[in-house]
Amino acid sequence: MPIANKDVTWVEEPEIGFWEATFLPAIFAGLKTTVRHVTHFQPVTEQFPEEKPTLPLHYRGVHRLNRDDQGRVKCVACMMCATACPARCITIEGAQAPWEDRDKYPSSFVIDELRCIYCGMCEEACPVDAIEMTHLYDLTGFSREEMIFDKEKLLGVFDQTKDSGRDPVRTQRGRLGPASDFEGLPALAPATSVRGDDRSARSVTAGVIQGTAVMESSWEQINEKIEKK
Amino acid sequence: MSSMIPTLMTLAADAVPAAPAAVSVVDLVKAQLPTLITIGAALGAVLGAVSYLIYVERKLAAFMQDRIGPNRVGPWGLLQPIADGAKFILKEDVIPAYVDRALFLLAPCIAALTTMLAFAVVPFGPVDNAPSFHRFVIVPNVDIGIVFIFAIGSLAVYGIILGGWASNNKYSALGSLRASAQVISYEIPLGMSVLGIALLGGTLNLEKILMNQAIGGIGSWYFWTQPLACLIFFVAALAESNRLPFDLVECEQELVGGFHTEYSSMKFALFFLAEYTHVITISFLTVILFFGGWHFPGIAEPGTAGFGPMLLKLGVLMSKVFAVIIVIMLLRWTIPRFRFDQLMGLAWKVLIPLSMANVVAVMTVLQFGWSTWWLTLTSVGLFMAAGFIGVQQAQVALNQGTRRAKSKDHGPVAHAH
């Protein structure tokens, strides 16, 4: 569509007088500006290795794996971060959790920091606030292997940064996140069937198909629970 | 040069009648000892000055851009030039496969050699009462000093042209083409602007021109009678040495670097050594031709002899030259680079007519024996005339633009200009 004539602002060039035509006043004005910068010298630069910048709070630096209040890794190996990751730099191997409050935990959790694009999608995807990005930005290493961070190293980043003041543990301090909160969640829709000896089958929880033999009782319990609310 | 010729003749006379060769060589060395010492001193001074001028320029550029500049090597980055030099020497010297090898190697040498050769006749200190072992000019009493400098100095552009051509690279060749067009244009106003001084002083000898001004006092500095020539000379000299705002030869945005794109390490450094030597030479010329050289009333007067006055004169000259160099550096960050047609237009439509008119004015004044102060008036008049012509031209262009804007007849589609 052509631009309507009324939408166009026509700017006229300024009149050029004698002094403008000789260029000299413009040059002297320019010289005045440049000289002023020398005489009123106020550098805006930062002397980097000596002066560290104060980064904004939402800065996305090196990842860390958070610990819960018992010092265990918070991650439940749900693979959400690895799925969300556009650079596919997260490799998780899940295993049966040795602890009561969750099913799985990561037996290995590896982030290739060289492949990572620091987009923060993993942080957003994580349902238990286990993976977070810190303010560490000057990440360097002598080899590629050094830049592949395993679980211990990522937990080490947590230990290093949790008390720095700039990287607080943001939510759900100590506890696992809402995804592991089996009690509070009502079943909104059936999703999958589970074995009878599975803990989720025994407890009142989401994601259970009504009609499987073991589930009848728990489904009633759920309905009761919803009615109470 | 006049002192060299007898020596050469003695050498010839000694050599031809089978005289003992050793004696003549010793004689030659003895006779040329002051020259050799001066060459050594001048070359060392110029090279040292160039490396530290680059430091000064980088610092100044940084200050103007609200930065700090080099500050890592040594205190305040003072050892930066040495680090840069070491880097240039130690870096790999790449010669691309498809270059014209001979010319490619020759080009930086020509650039450096010619600019340094041009410096040979520039008196870089008080020549009249200098100590015998050191006389502040490599070749004293050259009666064609100015012509020599312009002739040799403009050869430096061959280094650029050959370098760009030999690189076998389209962008480098474009840079070289620009250099050749630029040098053809700016040689003319450069020479013409100095012609007035040559006529006024009756000499082309730089030392005599300097002495004329020193003896006459501050009122006889040629700047007062030839201000327009000074302006033209300065602009043309900037263009001659490819400094901003006239560095179209090496504009990175358009030419991927320019004539030196294919050059690396010391060969690259030689080009910039040449450029800075050229800057030093034109600064010396500006000071000697228009601002009285080492003369300054009350501080450095002619006729004083001895070590103290000599140092004073040297200091005055160096301060003036340094001031001119600083102005050149300030201009670099003040005026944006010219477009090529603007560059050509400035030379052919403004500088050349003005300098010609100036020469005519000088000749008229000398012919009729009028006071030279009329030349100041003429200069101002010429400058004003140029300004009014400029206004007229701008007004014509503006009227055309305005007519189009005011007619309200843009049609359905408005063009965003």
Side-chain angles (χ1 to χ4, degrees):
Chain A
M1 204 182 96
I3 304 166
N5 218 12
K6 65 176 170 49
D7 294 336
V8 180
T9 312
W10 288 86
V11 180
E12 287 184 25
E13 284 182 64
E15 295 266 311
I16 288 187
F18 171 74
W19 287 110
E20 283 79 18
T22 61
F23 292 111
L24 285 188
I27 290 173
F28 280 116
L31 277 176
K32 214 173 118 189
T33 309
T34 39
V35 170
R36 212 187 136 74
H37 276 269
V38 177
T39 51
H40 297 69
F41 177 48
Q42 278 180 333
V44 294
T45 47
E46 214 163 45
Q47 298 303 299
F48 167 63
E50 291 90 29
E51 292 173 27
K52 303 270 185 181
T54 311
L55 296 167
L57 277 173
H58 58 269
Y59 185 82
R60 301 193 297 262
V62 178
H63 315 76
R64 70 182 185 194
L65 271 182
N66 288 350
R67 292 179 192 275
D68 63 8
D69 46 4
Q70 296 168 49
R72 306 170 304 181
V73 63
K74 255 182 154 184
C75 176
V76 294
C78 69
M79 304 285 174
M80 297 275 257
C81 54
T83 311
C85 180
R88 308 226 171 141
C89 64
I90 307 178
T91 316
I92 308 172
E93 278 170 31
Q96 182 82 40
W99 312 302
E100 252 315 296
D101 59 347
R102 69 189 93 163
D103 292 340
K104 285 163 75 189
Y105 89 115
S107 60
S108 137
F109 193 111
V110 180
I111 299 181
D112 186 346
E113 299 284 350
L114 292 178
R115 265 184 93 159
C116 178
I117 57 171
Y118 299 92
C119 64
M121 302 272 253
C122 50
E123 199 180 9
E124 278 187 46
C126 186
V128 294
D129 296 312
I131 188 165
E132 274 179 359
M133 299 184 97
T134 63
H135 278 87
L136 299 183
Y137 53 88
D138 46 353
L139 182 66
T140 49
F142 288 104
S143 64
R144 289 180 181 275
E145 289 71 38
E146 221 175 295
M147 304 300 282
I148 294 172
F149 278 31
D150 61 3
K151 194 170 78 176
E152 294 312 311
K153 212 163 178 180
L154 290 165
L155 287 169
V157 176
F158 173 78
D159 296 335
Q160 202 184 352
T161 56
K162 66 177 179 200
D163 298 323
S164 70
R166 301 288 299 168
D167 290 306
V169 182
R170 280 164 208 168
T171 48
Q172 303 283 335
R173 177 180 283 272
R175 295 190 299 116
L176 290 180
S180 63
D181 199 356
F182 298 120
E183 299 301 326
L185 281 178
L188 296 177
T192 179
S193 63
V194 290
R195 293 201 319 273
D197 58 342
D198 193 287
R199 191 188 49 186
S200 63
R202 276 183 268 114
S203 65
V204 183
T205 181
V208 176
I209 295 172
Q210 192 182 11
T212 49
V214 288
M215 285 314 301
E216 291 297 336
S217 58
S218 36
W219 191 251
E220 281 156 21
Q221 285 173 24
I222 291 166
N223 284 336
E224 276 167 34
K225 228 179 167 178
I226 293 171
E227 277 159 23
K228 262 186 230 164
K229 282 189 179 174
Chain B
M1 215 172 256
S2 53
S3 80
M4 273 173 83
I5 291 163
T7 340
L8 286 172
M9 284 168 75
T10 352
L11 172 67
D14 282 353
V16 171
V23 175
S24 68
V25 169
V26 168
D27 280 351
L28 176 69
V29 170
K30 251 186 201 166
Q32 293 303 333
L33 204 56
T35 311
L36 290 176
I37 290 173
T38 319
I39 287 177
L43 211 58
V46 166
L47 292 183
V50 164
S51 57
Y52 273 89
L53 278 180
I54 291 174
Y55 170 80
V56 169
E57 169 143 29
R58 285 180 66 181
K59 272 286 184 195
L60 212 57
F63 291 164
M64 284 178 229
Q65 297 165 2
D66 294 338
R67 296 184 284 119
I68 288 177
N71 64 346
R72 295 282 140 182
V73 194
W76 303 290
L78 274 171
L79 300 178
Q80 185 72 42
I82 295 163
D84 283 346
K87 186 194 78 177
F88 273 129
I89 290 167
L90 294 175
K91 260 189 146 178
E92 187 189 354
D93 204 357
V94 182
I95 300 178
Y98 295 100
V99 300
D100 187 329
R101 248 183 118 81
L103 293 183
F104 189 77
L105 293 176
L106 189 65
C109 307
I110 290 181
L113 178 87
T114 47
T115 42
M116 299 219 174
L117 202 58
F119 194 74
V121 296
V122 176
F124 51 92
V127 179
D128 52 342
N129 56 0
S132 58
F133 60 88
H134 191 270
R135 54 175 184 244
F136 290 120
V137 57
I138 295 170
V139 189
N141 273 320
V142 186
D143 284 329
I144 51 160
I146 297 173
V147 176
F148 178 83
I149 289 176
F150 289 166
I152 301 293
S154 57
L155 282 182
V157 81
Y158 279 96
I160 291 171
I161 294 173
L162 285 179
W165 180 253
S167 292
N168 201 359
N169 173 330
K170 292 180 188 70
Y171 293 109
S172 304
L174 271 176
S176 307
L177 269 178
R178 289 180 175 191
S180 47
Q182 195 171 325
V183 85
I184 289 172
S185 311
Y186 279 87
E187 281 292 298
I188 303 167
L190 192 72
M192 292 283 252
S193 59
V194 177
L195 211 54
I197 288 180
L199 289 171
L200 282 173
T203 175
L204 283 166
N205 187 332
L206 278 173
E207 293 153 49
K208 282 182 190 156
I209 289 175
L210 202 163
M211 280 315 282
N212 280 346
Q213 299 175 70
I215 291 165
I218 191 168
S220 71
W221 287 8
Y222 286 124
F223 175 74
W224 304 119
T225 45
Q226 296 277 286
L228 187 65
C230 180
L231 190 68
I232 293 169
F233 176 83
F234 191 64
V235 172
L238 276 184
E240 223 5 49
S241 62
N242 292 323
R243 289 285 300 183
L244 272 140
F246 302 106
D247 68 334
L248 283 105
V249 177
E250 40 170 315
C251 53
E252 293 82 1
Q253 296 92 331
E254 298 160 31
L255 296 181
V256 204
F259 69 96
H260 54 63
T261 308
E262 304 288 348
Y263 281 90
S264 55
S265 78
M266 208 55 208
K267 294 203 292 294
F268 177 84
L270 276 180
F271 275 123
F272 286 89
L273 188 70
E275 187 188 309
Y276 265 90
T277 314
H278 213 133
V279 169
I280 294 176
T281 310
I282 63 169
S283 305
F284 266 106
L285 276 184
T286 312
V287 168
I288 291 169
L289 291 175
F290 294 98
F291 295 96
W294 48 256
H295 172 258
F296 199 87
I299 298 176
E301 295 283 3
T304 48
F307 193 65
M310 185 193 82
L311 276 187
L312 261 181
K313 286 173 186 175
L314 197 62
V316 168
L317 181 63
M318 291 303 159
S319 320
K320 284 180 182 175
V321 170
F322 191 66
V324 174
I325 291 176
I326 292 289
V327 169
I328 291 175
M329 287 176 183
L330 287 172
L331 281 174
R332 171 176 185 167
W333 300 110
T334 301
I335 313 174
R337 184 185 291 130
F338 278 70
R339 212 170 54 210
F340 198 70
D341 60 322
Q342 293 170 334
L343 182 87
M344 287 292 153
L346 181 66
W348 290 100
K349 292 184 194 162
V350 183
L351 295 186
I352 292 175
L354 277 182
S355 53
M356 278 185 174
N358 186 50
V359 171
V360 171
V362 172
M363 289 196 287
T364 316
V365 165
L366 287 180
Q367 175 65 30
F368 295 104
W370 297 333
S371 161
T372 50
W373 289 106
W374 283 109
L375 286 173
T376 316
L377 268 181
T378 328
S379 283
V380 174
L382 282 174
F383 183 79
M384 303 239 311
F388 280 121
I389 293 170
V391 174
Q392 288 295 313
Q393 287 301 307
Q395 211 58 50
V396 168
L398 204 60
N399 283 340
Q400 284 164 356
T402 327
R403 264 205 299 279
R404 205 169 55 211
K406 277 182 179 160
S407 63
K408 307 285 181 200
D409 190 23
H410 308 309
V413 181
H415 302 280
H417 291 286

